[in-house]
Amino acid sequence: VLNAANEVAVEAFLAKKLKFPQIAGTVQAVMAMHSIEADPDLNAIMAADGWARQQAQLRIAELNPPKQKNTAEPFSAQR
């Protein structure tokens, strides 16, 4: 889980979608939401990996909401 969240956060940083200090915060947030499963099998590990990647992406999206486009018509001096 830690590695999966970190990979997503570092990828976002390299894509300039996340600031460097936000990497640790993203990983920490994902780790705080994770429930440890005793003696997981491979399917549980793969599911946890996918979950962690999804949670990290959601956290990054929350930190970087899409910018709203200006829908107002531009001012035109010509009439």
Side-chain angles (χ1 to χ4, degrees):
V1 170
L2 183 145
N3 190 55
N6 187 60
E7 286 179 6
V8 171
V10 169
E11 183 179 315
F13 167 72
L14 294 174
K16 300 186 187 309
K17 295 179 181 178
L18 202 62
K19 294 177 182 169
F20 185 77
Q22 292 174 312
I23 294 172
T26 299
V27 173
Q28 182 180 12
V30 173
M31 291 296 295
M33 292 185 286
H34 176 61
S35 298
I36 296 173
E37 181 177 332
D39 197 26
D41 62 9
L42 182 58
N43 288 332
I45 293 168
M46 297 299 290
D49 181 89
W51 173 87
R53 290 175 190 279
Q54 181 181 34
Q55 293 303 313
Q57 289 169 348
L58 290 171
R59 167 88 173 160
I60 292 163
E62 288 173 0
L63 294 171
N64 295 296
K67 293 183 171 64
Q68 294 183 359
K69 294 182 180 179
N70 186 357
T71 58
E73 292 185 29
F75 175 76
S76 176
Q78 299 175 350
R79 290 192 183 217

